[in-house]
Amino acid sequence: MTRKSTPSLGTLLFFAAAFLLSAYFTFAAVQGDFGLFRRVELQAEADGLTKDLERLEHDIARMENLTRRLSDDYLDLDLLDEQSRSILGLVRADEIIVD
């Protein structure tokens, strides 16, 4: 009944393999394609796209308002005057142009 003080080679290999597997799965959970860092990147990208969507919706609403104001049903004379001045370069006879 002698007892060895050093563990056997099989025991060492088992614990080494278990350690390597747990290290691999931990790394994959943090750095992998579906890991925590990738999730944070996707959330940041989603937040940026949400802000872009809100900005675009605001721009669309503004353009729809301008289009409605220049339509046949509702004509905003001030907006028409502003557009004709900027696009065609028209001025009134009583105005002074300063460059």
Side-chain angles (χ1 to χ4, degrees):
M1 297 212 20
T2 61
R3 187 166 197 169
K4 292 192 226 176
S5 61
T6 61
S8 67
L9 183 62
T11 305
L12 287 176
L13 288 176
F14 172 76
F15 281 112
F19 175 75
L20 289 175
L21 280 174
S22 64
Y24 170 75
F25 286 122
T26 302
F27 177 79
V30 174
Q31 295 280 344
D33 290 339
F34 301 102
L36 295 176
F37 289 152
R38 180 67 178 150
R39 183 175 182 160
V40 170
E41 288 176 1
L42 290 175
Q43 185 63 40
E45 185 179 348
D47 291 342
L49 291 174
T50 302
K51 288 179 183 177
D52 287 345
L53 178 64
E54 290 172 359
R55 181 183 53 81
L56 290 173
E57 286 174 345
H58 179 266
D59 289 346
I60 289 171
R62 183 182 57 80
M63 285 187 260
E64 285 176 348
N65 182 26
L66 289 174
T67 304
R68 185 184 61 81
R69 288 172 53 195
L70 287 175
S71 69
D72 292 336
D73 299 333
Y74 177 86
L75 183 60
D76 187 356
L77 295 177
D78 291 331
L79 181 62
L80 181 62
D81 184 52
E82 176 187 337
Q83 292 294 324
S84 64
R85 288 169 180 269
S86 67
I87 293 172
L88 300 175
L90 297 177
V91 292
R92 290 189 200 133
D94 60 345
E95 292 180 337
I96 300 173
I97 299 174
V98 178
D99 285 328

